[in-house]
Amino acid sequence: MSKDASPNTFDYEDESSSPSSETINPFSATAPPRAYAKIQFPKFVVYLTQLTASIGRCTGVESSEPFELRKPGGAEDVSKFADLQVGRGDSSISRVHCRITYSPLSQYFEMKIEGKNGCFVNGQFFSKDSRPLRLRSQSSVVFGRTPVKFTFLLPPSDEGSLRQVLNTESAGEGRGYRASANKRVAKESAMIGRPLLIDAVGESLVSSPTGMLTIPDLADAVEKNHPYFKRSFGGRKDIMTKSVRHVLQMNPFFRVVPAQAPGGIAKWAVMTDHLQRFSKPTKKHVKTT
C-alpha cells in the first residue's frame, strides 16, 4: 500500500466507488455499499463510511433508542456534538468523548480521547492527555459509568468482502471473522512478546502464594512480572490500579474473595474453572534496541 492509499473497505455491494464524502453522517446504521470499519456495540452495529468521526454522549431524552446519529445542518454544532451519540444521560461521558481518524502517513486508524474521564482500550486506561491510540481490528473500547462498550472491526485483508466472510461463517466453514481476527491479534502479541493485561493479571494471581491478592498488591505483581505495563503507563500507579480493577470487574475469569475480618480488604482470585488458562506463564516483554 502506498503512502497515499486509502484503507481496505467492507464491500456490501458490487460497486467500485469509495465511500462518498457526501455521506450525511460518518456513521451509518445500515450496511452501506462500502465501509471502512464496523463499530460493534452489544445491542447494535454502526458502519464507518468516512475517515474521521466522533463518538460522545447522547443529550436527547425524548427517545429510548440506544444511540442517535447527529443530523448535519441542524442546530447541533459539529465541534460540540458527536457524530455518533451514545450513553444517554450519562454525565461521565463527554459530548465528544473520542474521535476516530485514519492517518494516511501511518496507514492505520487511531483514536484521540477527548473526554475528561478517559477510556479503557483493551483493558488499559488512557486519559484525555494520552497520545492518539492505534485502533487495530478487535480493539475493545469502554467508557462511561453505564458503561458504553464497543469493538472496532476492520475488513480482513485476505477476504474480498464482508458478505463472503459472513457466508463462510454461516455455512460453518472455519471459525469465521471474529476467530480469525482473534488469532491475528494473538499472533501479533506473541511476535513482539507483549502479553495482554488480562493474561498478566491472571498469571499474577495464580502464581501468588495463596492465589489471592488485593487490587493494590495485584497491580504491584503485574508491574514486577511484566515491566512492559509499567513503562506503558509511564510508571503511574493510579493508572495501573484502575486498569487492573477494570480487568477484574469486566471479565468472568475472576472472583471476589470477601475480607475475613470486619474492616479488612477484599481480595481477588481466578475462578476454579479458568485456572488452567493462566497457569502457563505468558512471555515477558523484552525491550529491544
Side-chain angles (χ1 to χ4, degrees):
M1 182 184 292
S2 62
K3 286 294 181 182
D4 58 351
S6 297
N8 294 327
T9 59
F10 288 116
D11 297 318
Y12 291 88
E13 295 178 3
D14 295 329
E15 296 186 6
S16 59
S17 60
S18 298
S20 171
S21 60
E22 298 177 355
T23 304
I24 293 178
N25 189 292
F27 291 105
S28 173
T30 57
R34 305 188 99 182
Y36 290 116
K38 261 173 55 173
I39 313 295
Q40 176 78 59
F41 291 82
K43 295 184 179 180
F44 64 94
V45 178
V46 293
Y47 304 85
L48 183 61
T49 61
Q50 294 187 24
L51 298 181
T52 181
S54 57
I55 302 176
R57 185 176 80 246
C58 183
T59 56
V61 295
E62 66 281 358
S63 174
S64 60
E65 294 297 322
F67 72 97
E68 290 184 7
L69 298 178
R70 182 181 57 79
K71 299 178 178 61
E76 296 180 332
D77 187 336
V78 176
S79 64
K80 295 182 180 179
F81 293 87
D83 299 310
L84 174 62
Q85 301 173 13
V86 294
R88 190 182 305 276
D90 189 341
S91 60
S92 66
I93 301 174
S94 299
R95 289 186 177 182
V96 177
H97 204 86
C98 57
R99 195 176 301 275
I100 298 173
T101 305
Y102 180 76
S103 170
L105 181 62
S106 302
Q107 297 186 30
Y108 57 68
F109 279 96
E110 58 187 21
M111 185 178 74
K112 179 68 176 75
I113 299 170
E114 299 186 10
K116 62 181 181 180
N117 292 315
C119 292
F120 284 93
V121 180
N122 296 328
Q124 301 181 31
F125 179 78
F126 295 92
S127 69
K128 181 179 180 179
D129 298 326
S130 300
R131 293 181 179 180
L133 309 169
R134 179 177 181 178
L135 288 179
R136 299 178 184 272
S137 193
Q138 292 288 330
S139 288
S140 172
V141 179
V142 181
F143 57 85
R145 190 180 299 111
T146 311
V148 171
K149 312 174 189 176
F150 70 81
T151 302
F152 184 80
L153 302 172
L154 290 171
S157 59
D158 56 345
E159 296 285 351
S161 67
L162 180 62
R163 181 186 289 113
Q164 180 180 356
V165 177
L166 293 177
N167 288 342
T168 299
E169 190 173 32
S170 62
E173 300 176 9
R175 295 181 178 273
Y177 175 79
R178 181 177 296 273
S180 175
N182 282 337
K183 287 182 178 179
R184 182 167 64 253
V185 172
K187 182 178 180 180
E188 291 175 353
S189 296
M191 288 175 62
I192 63 176
R194 184 175 65 189
L196 298 175
L197 182 56
I198 184 174
D199 292 325
V201 168
E203 177 198 324
S204 297
L205 284 172
V206 172
S207 62
S208 65
T210 62
M212 301 179 292
L213 290 171
T214 63
I215 291 179
D217 289 342
L218 180 55
D220 290 338
V222 170
E223 284 190 348
K224 179 180 179 181
N225 295 333
H226 300 281
Y228 160 76
F229 292 108
K230 185 175 183 178
R231 294 193 298 270
S232 178
F233 296 142
R236 290 187 56 179
K237 179 65 68 176
D238 58 331
I239 296 180
M240 170 63 80
T241 303
K242 286 181 179 179
S243 298
V244 168
R245 179 181 291 109
H246 175 79
V247 167
L248 293 170
Q249 294 176 344
M250 299 301 293
N251 289 280
F253 309 116
F254 311 107
R255 63 184 178 89
V256 179
V257 180
Q260 299 298 315
I265 301 178
K267 297 183 179 181
W268 286 81
V270 175
M271 297 284 287
T272 304
D273 295 342
H274 300 290
L275 286 172
Q276 186 175 0
R277 170 193 171 102
F278 301 109
S279 295
K280 185 178 180 180
T282 56
K283 184 179 179 180
K284 295 186 178 181
H285 179 75
V286 179
K287 186 176 181 180
T288 58
T289 57

